[in-house]
Amino acid sequence: MKHREPQIDTSPRLFDEVRKTTCYMCACRCGIDVHLKAGKVAYIEGNRDHPVNRGVLCAKGSAGIMQHNSPARLRKPLRRVGPRGSGEFEEIGWDEALRTAVAWLAPLRETAPEKLAFFTGRDQSQSFTSWWAQQFGTPNYAAHGGFCSVNMAAAGIYTMGGAFWEFGQPDWENTRLFMLFGVAEDHDSNPIKMGIGSLKARGARVIGVNPIRTGYNAVADDWVGITPGTDGLFILALVHELLRAGRIDLDYLARWTNAPVLLDCDPKSPEHGLFLRDEDGKPLVMDRATGKPAAFDAPGVRPDLAGQLRRAGVTHRPVMHLLAERYLAPEHSPDAVAGRCGIPAARIRGIAAELARVAFEEAWEIDHPWTDFRGERHATITARPVSFHAMRGISAHSNGFQTARALHLLQILLGAVERPGGFRFKPPYPKPPEAHPRPNAEACPGAPLAGPHLGFPLGPEDLALDAEGRPQRIDKAFTWENPLSVHGLMHMVISNAHAGDPYRIDTLFLYMANMAWNSSMNTAGTMKMLTDTDAKGEYVIPRIIYSDAYSSEMVAYADLVLPDTTYLERHDCISLLDRPISEADAAADAIRWPVVEPDREVRGFQSVLLDLGARLGLPGFADADGAPRYADYADYMVNHERRPGVGPLAGWRMGEAGLTHGRGAPNAAQLDSYIAHGGVFVAEIPQAARYMRPWNRAYQDWAVSMGLYDTPQPYLFQLYVEPLRRFQLAAEGHGARQPPEHLRERIRATLDPLPIWYPPLGDGHADPEEYRLHALTQRPMAMYHSWGSQNAWLRQIHGTNPLYLPPEVMRAHGLAEGDWARVSSPHGSITVPVAEMAAQNRATVWTWNAIGKRKGAWALDEAAPEARRGFLLNHLIHELLPARGDGLRWANSDPVTGQAAWFDLRVKIEKSAPPGEVQPGFAAQASPVGQGPAELKWKV
């Protein structure tokens, strides 16, 4: 019989259509191509034309198909029928759910709008959610930044008008030495991976500073395994060495920073430490040409770093004098800090020498004519090929604000900001704090707030305090406890509401904030606070409304659940008003759009907010006759204007002569244009405007034309942050608004206008002899947030998480790979499996974050490895510092910004008999979506 070859289709049709949108599997916001077959998602790959990822897509992005098809997806609105935390609900219709929400919220708005606390987690539409809360009139709004990165953002904006990650980036093409601090693998991962790859390809060096050598630090040419919480000491030792060797950019400091600005140096003066100003309020410098004081921006002025002025009996000295005196002091030398940092003094000196060598000996000039804000024309720009990047590892400490400022001081002293090879801002930054609003918190029944909730205080007069000095916000943001809390304190909301401090609330409204599990410190305590009842048997927090796309641990604690869509089923706006996706050479924003329609009774949360706003009659949400102003979030994205001509999306607006970008009237076809261009809009910055942007007239004019701000905003980098000194002066007894006595010394000590280092506040509460080990969490590249570890593909990469111990700690406690240990802090204990890892700081233990799950959540089997061998360090942390006998509640936060200090954790360990599963254990929650199948598979 003749053999017949099988007929095999070697080119099967894998898809019918490709729709381009924006990924949501982390905050990177890469462009993706979603391949559809028969109307279903077949697979997802990177969009090669997208400015963020240029086709690169990580494991998370590819696994978005499993996120979209997750068995944990909520299906209908839910009303609680069992006790809080049980997970017992009944399904209801949308009209009933919205009528219930309005019945709870409408009386609050008319009588006491502050009794609504509205906080969002990993939301990427914060300009919209904050506007909703502003129109409602509650002062109690913020997003997750106070839990994650406010130290990074606030320190950068107060010091130089921008910060790392979303605010700026290294000049990947020209950097020759890249140094990163405390950067885990989850944030901005694809651009950083591509950037490091390009550096390696052309022989540039990478130095990683992190207690743990994983991810980016594992591929660094040099790894610095620093002791947690001491980065500021290390950085200021580098500053000491650069000053001692004279390896700083004096011309850059004189022209573009406040180093030459004159300070009142009379300790008896009520303006001691403030800038000397002219009649227009402009800071004064000494002009080298005339020897006389002049406004810092006067045409032709040559600021003098050494000039002093005696006026009216007061000596005025430049900031540079104070800076040099402080950091040249012996306590900042490498020998003085080496022991605490865990880094040999010789190595610190070597890194400082390498920074100086690359910054100055490998510098070059580029032809780049530009005009500065003083009117001077320049033919070239000096390239400084040294760049830095930092993230949560230095931010999530109670000294993180000052540490981040120290890092900015370092790169500014080298002259490596806004120059080729260094750090470059991304639009809408640079933007100084003066260009941002001040915080608003004065609630008035039936009326909106006067302005945005979150802003940048410039002095005590901007604090959110009532006439008696009491906090106006439930989280105590913008108070003497944390004056510059520009992202709010989400981690303090439940604790303060439970304690009735500063007052009680009625309704807690949360979106994507898994506060009953890994989005809070003190996890067990938070769950108890959510379920506590008063003497009458009523819940202490009377009502909880929660919106999520999945059956997370927090869903079980809600009274009303408003189910969100997945990211492939809704419109989203990645806006220049909020958290855009710009690159250094271009402004860019983007959209998500429903590439598939939901097969459940779910609605995009932003559209739900618009519906609620119209039903409540909020200004801007309903017309005069009560009709909704916007049909849904897509309608809002197109037609809303934050100010005339400026809306959520910058691309394809209507000008007088047709389509335009930046400023313009709404365009009914705007979303079609975005979809046709892959969901993204890019506006390149003119060549003449691409460097030296805080001082470059061409950039300032372009930014105004794009609607980034309304008038040019040139400014100086603030090595010395005068607003901090204003708070110190109040603590010293000056001014009409002063802090309470118990906070005066802390404010004087921590709100220093020059960067300082102080030990993490937790060190003063945890006995360092008993609790000798530092404990940290990191997010892996394959996980971003808690929703990732219910993803069928990603679970195969990270289904469990041991506690990693250094070899010395393993030997000292008689532990071997696979053993279990009891880990204790002053707050509590956990019992978990351990593993050995040599590439970490010897005083540090660590684990992956957000892997552990509560039984019954996320549609997982109760015996799932995430529930039995996955765990959280959150059980060991508390939102309050241990009591010290003064009757006060001291937040476990940075005293400047309120940043949650969950990296300050100190622990001790002891060997334990294997308990079978991690401890503490919690009873299983009932699942409103049931349990997923043992195998998740389908064919399209």
Side-chain angles (χ1 to χ4, degrees), residues 6-14:
Q7 298 298 307
I8 299 173
D9 184 358
T10 58
S11 300
R13 184 168 181 79
L14 300 178

Side-chain angles (χ1 to χ4, degrees), residues 586-609:
D589 60 15
I591 66 166
R592 293 185 189 93
W593 59 287
V595 297
V596 290
E597 292 296 326
D599 58 359
R600 310 162 318 285
E601 292 185 44
V602 297
R603 298 182 184 179
F605 178 69
Q606 292 82 2
S607 291
V608 170
L609 273 189

Side-chain angles (χ1 to χ4, degrees), residues 408-729:
H408 295 314
L409 168 66
L410 173 63
Q411 61 179 347
I412 292 169
L413 288 175
L414 291 169
V417 180
E418 271 301 296
R419 279 173 156 175
F423 175 86
R424 302 178 64 201
F425 293 115
K426 299 194 293 190
Y429 295 91
K431 189 186 296 185
E434 292 81 3
H436 291 76
R438 308 287 84 77
N440 290 270
E442 186 71 39
C444 180
L449 291 184
H453 305 79
L454 305 178
F456 287 77
L458 300 180
E461 66 278 6
D462 295 326
L463 294 179
L465 301 170
D466 66 16
E468 284 73 41
R470 294 172 301 206
Q472 293 176 310
R473 292 175 53 105
I474 190 65
D475 59 358
K476 299 186 181 179
F478 307 112
T479 67
W480 293 108
E481 293 187 29
N482 24 251
L484 306 186
S485 42
V486 300
H487 286 173
L489 286 79
M490 187 175 76
H491 58 289
M492 293 304 302
V493 172
I494 292 172
S495 178
N496 289 353
H498 179 266
D501 178 19
Y503 49 79
R504 297 206 176 276
I505 65 168
D506 178 272
T507 300
L508 177 63
F509 191 2
L510 298 174
Y511 174 48
M512 291 180 62
N514 195 9
M515 304 302 291
W517 198 245
N518 73 300
S519 291
S520 68
M521 303 188 287
N522 183 22
T523 302
T526 299
M527 291 188 285
K528 183 177 184 301
M529 288 185 275
L530 292 172
T531 55
D532 261 359
T533 56
D534 59 21
K536 298 179 180 179
E538 303 291 334
Y539 286 119
V540 174
I541 299 176
R543 298 182 178 93
I544 300 175
I545 305 173
Y546 186 52
S547 180
D548 202 320
Y550 306 98
S551 181
S552 69
E553 287 87 355
M554 184 62 208
V555 164
Y557 290 86
D559 304 308
L560 179 66
V561 178
L562 306 176
D564 194 14
T565 64
T566 71
Y567 71 102
L568 297 179
E569 299 169 325
R570 66 164 179 258
H571 283 95
D572 269 334
C573 183
I574 299 103
S575 171
L576 284 163
L577 299 178
D578 193 355
R579 303 172 63 187
I581 55 166
S582 301
E583 296 294 308
D585 291 333
D589 60 15
I591 66 166
R592 293 185 189 93
W593 59 287
V595 297
V596 290
E597 292 296 326
D599 58 359
R600 310 162 318 285
E601 292 185 44
V602 297
R603 298 182 184 179
F605 178 69
Q606 292 82 2
S607 291
V608 170
L609 273 189
L610 285 164
D611 194 338
L612 282 174
R615 292 174 186 238
L616 290 165
L618 303 186
F621 287 81
D623 294 332
D625 60 359
R629 180 165 295 182
Y630 305 106
D632 54 21
Y633 192 48
D635 189 11
Y636 167 91
M637 288 161 58
V638 170
N639 291 301
H640 177 74
E641 291 183 280
R642 192 54 53 94
R643 56 189 193 275
V646 176
L649 294 171
W652 299 285
R653 305 188 69 82
M654 293 301 299
E656 293 181 1
L659 288 177
T660 187
H661 303 306
R663 294 178 183 269
N667 167 20
Q670 186 179 39
L671 294 185
D672 294 334
S673 294
Y674 271 85
I675 292 170
H677 289 82
V680 63
F681 162 73
V682 179
E684 291 195 1
I685 300 172
Q687 284 289 336
R690 291 191 175 184
Y691 296 106
M692 310 297 278
R693 282 175 282 192
W695 322 290
N696 187 329
R697 282 187 175 179
Y699 176 79
Q700 296 288 321
D701 291 343
W702 177 84
V704 170
S705 73
M706 285 293 297
L708 304 184
Y709 26 80
D710 291 334
T711 60
Q713 302 282 338
Y715 62 96
L716 298 175
F717 285 168
Q718 302 293 296
L719 304 179
Y720 182 101
V721 176
E722 189 185 37
L724 292 172
R725 179 59 192 154
R726 294 192 181 110
F727 287 104
Q728 279 188 325
L729 279 173

